[in-house]
């Protein structure tokens, strides 16, 4: 999200530039038992007014009804504080997202949530990316493959996942919100959703949802 593009101590060495290099990052560790720890994280973030976008690069394919209710309550708390939530769809290649992303289908939460799926370099859906299911109207795709430096043998490590796609979309939201600070979370989300590049079948579809996030279009005046 906020990579500066400059290697520490070597100003002439250019590396990856993040979507929003000027953004401030407020890291919160959800922990291994994230179903429980994420609830604590949500409660904590409600009390941090400067944290406007909550990037959720984690998920579970299954939750009990009680756990789903707890997650919804926690996310509603973030919505009430005016925060935008970007949730990774999941990496199981399933026909619907994992939790908490799947809760974007809930009418109480939808306006403040975006689900992030992954595409390959050629804009085709990544085989691992969970599909939109009932969240199609809140589902965007973004690049999911990135190089994260080189190993000792000189081989570049390239990893894919919807966690990466979520970070791209969160970064795009930060740029839009940073430019027009009077916008609300749902307005920022709508700008990204409405300016997405349509992929797959025309309109909202079961593979790409609203389409590919396009920050260049999101930053252009409309009408």
């Amino acid at each position: 999200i906020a990579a500066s593009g400059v290697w520490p101590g070597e100003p002439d060495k250019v590396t990856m530039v993040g979507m929003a290099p000027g953004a401030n990052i407020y890291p919160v560790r959800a922990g291994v038992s994230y179903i429980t720890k994420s609830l604590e994280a949500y409660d904590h973030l409600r009390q941090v007014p400067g944290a406007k976008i909550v990037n959720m690069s984690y998920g579970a394919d299954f939750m009990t009804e009680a756990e789903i209710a707890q997650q919804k309550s926690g996310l509603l708390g973030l919505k009430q504080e005016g925060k935008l939530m970007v949730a990774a769809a999941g990496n199981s290649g399933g026909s619907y997202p994992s939790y908490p992303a799947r809760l974007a289908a809930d009418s109480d939460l939808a306006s403040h949530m975006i689900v992030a799926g992954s595409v390959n370099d050629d804009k085709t859906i990544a085989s691992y990316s969970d599909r939109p299911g009932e969240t199609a109207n809140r589902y965007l795709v973004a690049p999911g493959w990135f190089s994260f430096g080189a190993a000792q043998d000189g081989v570049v490590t390239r990893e894919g996942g919807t966690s990466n796609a979520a970070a791209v979309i969160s970064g795009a939201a930060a740029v839009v919100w940073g430019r027009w600070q009077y916008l609300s979370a749902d307005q920022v989300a709508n700008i990204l959703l409405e300016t997405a590049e349509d992929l797959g079948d025309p309109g909202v579809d079961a593979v790409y949802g609203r389409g590919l996030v396009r920050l260049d279009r999101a930053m252009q005046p409309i009408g």
Side-chain angles (χ1 to χ4, degrees):
I1 295 173
S4 67
V6 178
W7 196 264
E10 299 182 49
D12 295 329
K13 184 176 182 180
V14 178
T15 60
M16 186 178 75
V17 178
M19 292 292 288
N24 292 316
I25 302 295
Y26 187 89
V28 178
R29 182 178 180 183
V32 177
S33 301
Y34 88 90
I35 292 177
T36 299
K37 296 296 184 182
S38 63
L39 300 176
E40 297 175 3
Y42 301 155
D43 185 60
H44 175 72
L45 285 168
R46 288 178 61 187
Q47 305 171 57
V48 185
K52 302 176 73 173
I53 301 165
V54 181
N55 182 84
M56 299 185 289
S57 289
Y58 51 80
D61 293 330
F62 174 80
M63 285 188 183
T64 66
E65 289 187 9
E67 289 168 341
I68 292 172
Q70 290 175 324
Q71 285 286 312
K72 178 178 177 178
S73 178
L75 297 179
L76 280 172
L78 295 178
K79 175 188 173 182
Q80 291 166 0
E81 294 300 322
K83 300 181 189 300
L84 173 61
M85 295 160 277
V86 180
N91 303 325
S92 300
S95 57
Y96 45 80
S98 61
Y99 292 102
R102 201 182 308 180
L103 292 174
D106 190 302
S107 59
D108 293 333
L109 291 168
S111 64
H112 285 59
M113 289 190 71
I114 295 177
V115 179
S118 288
V119 288
N120 301 310
D121 296 345
D122 61 359
K123 299 183 183 180
T124 59
I125 194 74
S127 60
Y128 58 78
S129 181
D130 286 341
R131 306 309 196 258
E134 295 181 352
T135 72
N137 280 318
R138 311 300 302 180
Y139 187 99
L140 289 174
V141 293
W145 291 97
F146 290 96
S147 299
F148 293 103
Q152 290 183 347
D153 57 5
V155 176
V156 174
T157 300
R158 193 167 189 259
E159 297 179 355
T162 57
S163 291
N164 300 338
V168 171
I169 294 170
S170 291
V175 174
V176 172
W177 216 340
R179 174 61 181 83
W180 295 286
Q181 296 182 24
Y182 55 81
L183 294 174
S184 58
D186 56 323
Q187 290 174 326
V188 173
N190 284 338
I191 288 172
L192 295 179
L193 292 164
E194 292 171 5
T195 58
E197 177 181 343
D198 192 19
L199 299 177
D201 294 336
V204 181
D205 66 73
V207 177
Y208 298 95
R210 299 292 288 267
L212 177 70
V213 66
R214 285 288 300 268
L215 181 56
D216 56 337
R217 295 182 181 180
M219 297 300 288
Q220 296 299 315
I222 298 175

